[in-house]
Structures are given as C-alpha cells and as structure tokens.
Amino acid sequence: LTSGNLLISTGILHSGFGLFVPELRDPLFRIATERTTQIADVNDRSERECSFWFQVAGIMMISQGYLLRNYCQATRKKVPQWFGWYLTGLSTVGVIVMPASGFWLILGQG
C-alpha cells in the first residue's frame, strides 16, 4: 500500500461514514432536496453545513491521495517529507480537539 492509496482509502471511508450515519446523511438529503444550506433555522443550517464540509473533507482526502500517488509514480520519488509533517501536525491538532474522531487514522499516515 502506498501513502497515496492509504489517503484515498481514508477519504472513501470518511465519506462513506458520512453517508451511513443518519446525523450526517439526513442533512445532505435536505441539501439535495432544497438545494441550499442557507435556511432560517440556525440549528438545521449548522447541521447542513457540518454535513457538507464533512463530505468535502473526504473528497479532499481522496483528491490529495490521487495527487500524491500520481506524483510519486510520475517522478519516481518518495512522498515529500513535508507532506508527512503536514499530516502529522494537522492530525495532532485534530486528535487534541476531537479525540473521539477519525483523526487517528491520519495521524498514523503522517
């Protein structure tokens, strides 16, 4: 398994989890139905925005994984060291702020 493939897998798992858990899935359905997050009910708006950004985060992980994998294949180089430190730093903050989360998966990839 390459670093890019691990990140792709993590992104797929992340987005899949967001579609499986009702608290994240149901607001997405409301966004799809009404085509907006901007509604008067502040609580519902917050749920929609959280759900939307949860999915964006998964898509970004998948995109970064593909970019990383293609970079390594095209240049025949290893993953840049700064990228590992970036993942480690980001996920360390995430683990501190949200210990019961999936940031542990990213921390292991840094």
Side-chain angles (χ1 to χ4, degrees):
L1 259 173
T2 66
S3 297
N5 287 341
L6 280 173
L7 200 52
I8 292 167
S9 299
T10 303
I12 291 169
L13 182 67
H14 189 273
S15 292
F17 183 79
L19 294 173
F20 179 74
V21 175
E23 292 83 4
L24 293 167
R25 180 190 61 224
D26 295 347
L28 280 178
F29 288 152
R30 293 195 299 273
I31 292 170
T33 302
E34 299 170 23
R35 297 190 174 156
T36 187
T37 62
Q38 301 302 305
I39 59 170
D41 183 344
V42 176
N43 291 330
D44 191 21
R45 183 182 330 155
S46 294
E47 288 178 1
R48 290 175 188 220
E49 290 171 350
C50 178
S51 180
F52 175 80
W53 283 109
F54 192 91
Q55 290 301 321
V56 168
I59 292 167
M60 291 303 295
M61 282 184 254
I62 294 167
S63 299
Q64 283 183 334
Y66 274 114
L67 182 63
L68 191 60
R69 186 176 71 187
N70 290 343
Y71 166 82
C72 291
Q73 286 175 349
T75 64
R76 302 263 187 237
K77 293 182 180 178
K78 292 182 178 181
V79 175
Q81 191 174 20
W82 66 264
F83 192 77
W85 285 111
Y86 155 75
L87 289 178
T88 299
L90 179 68
S91 57
T92 298
V93 172
V95 165
I96 291 168
V97 175
M98 297 172 59
S101 70
F103 279 108
W104 293 100
L105 291 172
I106 301 295
L107 184 61
Q109 295 177 46

